Amino acid sequence: MKPPRITDSSLRDGSHPMRHQFTLDQVKQVCQALDDAGVPVIEVSHGDGLSGSSIQYGYSKTSEMELIETAAETCRNARIAALLLPGVGTQKELKEAARRGAQILRIATQCTEADVSEQHFGLAKEMGMETVGFLMMAHMRPPEVLTEQALLMESYGADCVYVVDSAGAMLPQDAAARVAAFKSALKCQVGFHAHNNLGQAIANSIAAYEAGAEQIDGCLRGLGAGAGNAATELLAAVFNKMGLDTGLDAFKLCDAAEYILAPMMPFQPIPNRDAITIGYAGVYSTFLLHAKKAGEQFGIDPREILVELGRRKAMAGQEDWIIDVASDLAHAKKNAASPVTSPQ
C-alpha cells in the first residue's frame, strides 16, 4: 500500500485550545518547522473555519487571511489548506483565502447534511482548488448511511471525502468499517481525521489507513479540540515503524512539537474527565459547558446529561435540547425518589 498523505491541522484544529489567538510570528515558526520536516499539507484558519471569528465561536487575535498569507509565503513545499463550514464561511471568504495562498479547500458539514455543500465544491473547483469533504460526527451514523452522504460530496466534485471522528467516539473497528464502506463505493480518495477523547486517535488512524484511507490528519503534540488529535509526530514515527515512507522526518517533527509548539500552548490536551465523557457519550464538545450549567440548575451530574444527549443522537446546533434533557432527568430522578403509596 502507498503511504498516506499527512495533513497537519495544528494551525486550524489547534486554534480551539489556543482560543484562536495565533499570531503571525507563531504561524511562521510552525509552518517553517512543518515544511522543513516534509509535511505536504498544512491547514490554516479559525478553528471553526473561514469567517469563524465571531461572538459565537470566538474572535481571532489575527485575521485568518493574514495567517493564511503568512503560511503560504513561509512554506517552500507544503501546500496550504483552509476549512470552510457552509453557513459560516461564504463565497467572499473562499475567494479571499484562495487569493491569499490557500490551494486546498476542506468543506465540512454534519454527517447528515452533505447536500448543503454543493455550491461550495462547485466554486472551489471553478477556481482550480483541490477539494476535500469533511463529514463531521461520523460516528453517529452507520457506514451505509454515511456512504450515501460521501457519494453526494463526490458528485459535487470532492477529490477526497473524510470520515471525521469529531467527538473522539470511535474505536478502531468503527473507523475501519466507515473507511472500508467509502472505499467500496467512492472513486475519489478517502481520508480520516481523529480525536483522542478515548485515547484511540493513533489506533483509529492506523485502522483507517489499513482499511484504505489515503489521507490522514494530525496536529503537532496532538493540539486540537477536546482531548486533541492524533499527534503528527506520532503518526510519522508509527508509519515509519510500519515500513512506510511518508516523507516525514519524525525526529524533526518531535523537535517542532517540543521546542516550537509546546511553548505556545496554554495547556496540553489530554483525555481528562470531561474529554472522556464527550467521547463516551459521542456528543460535540460544544455541549460540555451548557451541560455543566444545566447540571447546576437541575441538580444533575453533567455526565448523565451528555450521555442522554448521545443516546438521543443530538447533533451540533441542537444545544436547545440540553435544558429539556436536564429537566427530563431531574423529573425522572424526583419520581424515582418519591415513595409510592397504595390506595387505602
Side-chain angles (χ1 to χ4, degrees):
M1 290 175 66
K2 288 179 59 177
R5 185 179 83 174
I6 304 297
T7 294
D8 185 274
S9 189
S10 305
L11 297 173
R12 197 282 300 170
D13 212 326
S15 181
H16 291 294
M18 290 291 293
R19 303 291 187 267
H20 317 297
Q21 299 301 292
F22 277 120
T23 66
L24 294 178
D25 183 60
Q26 288 173 333
V27 166
K28 184 175 182 179
Q29 290 183 57
V30 173
C31 283
Q32 283 177 334
L34 291 171
D35 193 47
D36 185 51
V39 174
V41 180
I42 301 171
E43 187 180 40
V44 183
S45 52
H46 185 281
D48 294 285
L50 297 176
S51 198
S53 180
S54 62
I55 191 171
Q56 291 91 348
Y57 299 116
Y59 288 109
S60 299
K61 182 181 181 70
T62 307
S63 162
E64 63 188 346
M65 297 303 172
E66 292 181 40
L67 300 181
I68 289 169
E69 186 171 40
T70 295
E73 291 173 348
T74 299
C75 293
R76 295 168 298 172
N77 300 304
R79 301 165 71 207
I80 304 305
L83 184 78
L84 182 147
L85 278 67
V88 178
T90 68
Q91 180 181 113
K92 175 184 175 183
E93 287 81 35
L94 195 168
K95 290 180 176 179
E96 179 69 6
R99 189 180 73 80
R100 296 290 188 118
Q103 298 170 284
I104 302 170
L105 186 69
R106 288 153 57 107
I107 302 169
T109 75
Q110 295 298 330
C111 66
T112 56
E113 298 176 359
D115 59 346
V116 304
S117 64
E118 182 174 6
Q119 291 181 323
H120 307 81
F121 278 109
L123 178 58
K125 296 303 288 186
E126 285 177 18
M127 297 171 62
M129 301 180 81
E130 179 184 335
T131 54
V132 175
F134 248 46
L135 287 170
M136 300 186 293
M137 299 294 285
H139 74 281
M140 297 191 72
R141 292 295 183 270
E144 59 273 15
V145 174
L146 207 63
T147 301
E148 293 173 2
Q149 298 293 309
L151 283 166
L152 285 177
M153 285 187 163
E154 182 182 56
S155 73
Y156 302 152
D159 297 304
C160 178
V161 182
Y162 265 69
V163 175
V164 181
D165 187 16
S166 311
M170 290 187 194
L171 300 178
Q173 60 264 33
D174 303 317
R178 284 159 177 77
V179 169
F182 281 20
K183 288 297 295 178
S184 68
L186 303 179
K187 296 180 178 65
C188 69
Q189 290 194 350
V190 176
F192 185 76
H193 178 98
H195 280 264
N196 202 40
N197 292 52
L198 295 178
Q200 300 295 304
I202 295 295
N204 287 344
S205 297
I206 300 306
Y209 167 73
E210 291 180 336
E214 293 104 334
Q215 298 187 32
I216 300 289
D217 283 5
C219 293
L220 283 177
R221 212 172 172 88
L223 183 68
N229 299 56
T232 305
E233 63 274 21
L234 272 173
L235 287 172
V238 171
F239 281 126
N240 182 271
K241 293 279 283 185
M242 293 171 65
L244 299 167
D245 182 10
T246 58
L248 305 181
D249 188 317
F251 287 169
K252 285 185 177 181
L253 287 169
C254 287
D255 290 345
E258 189 76 15
Y259 301 120
I260 295 176
L261 193 67
M264 303 175 186
M265 293 166 55
F267 62 92
Q268 175 65 57
I270 60 171
N272 60 15
R273 179 182 183 274
D274 289 340
I276 293 170
T277 302
I278 291 293
Y280 183 83
V283 296
Y284 212 64
S285 58
T286 54
F287 285 12
L288 180 61
L289 182 59
H290 298 294
K292 287 184 174 181
K293 290 180 177 178
E296 291 179 6
Q297 180 180 349
F298 290 94
I300 297 293
D301 187 333
R303 287 179 291 193
E304 295 182 39
I305 299 171
L306 292 168
V307 168
E308 178 61 18
L309 286 164
R311 191 188 68 79
R312 298 187 187 188
K313 299 190 180 303
M315 303 286 282
Q318 293 178 318
E319 285 82 357
D320 56 319
W321 281 18
I322 295 174
I323 292 296
D324 291 340
V325 167
S327 177
D328 289 347
L329 291 173
H331 184 70
K333 185 177 180 180
K334 181 179 179 180
N335 285 346
S338 299
V340 177
T341 58
S342 300
Q344 299 298 317

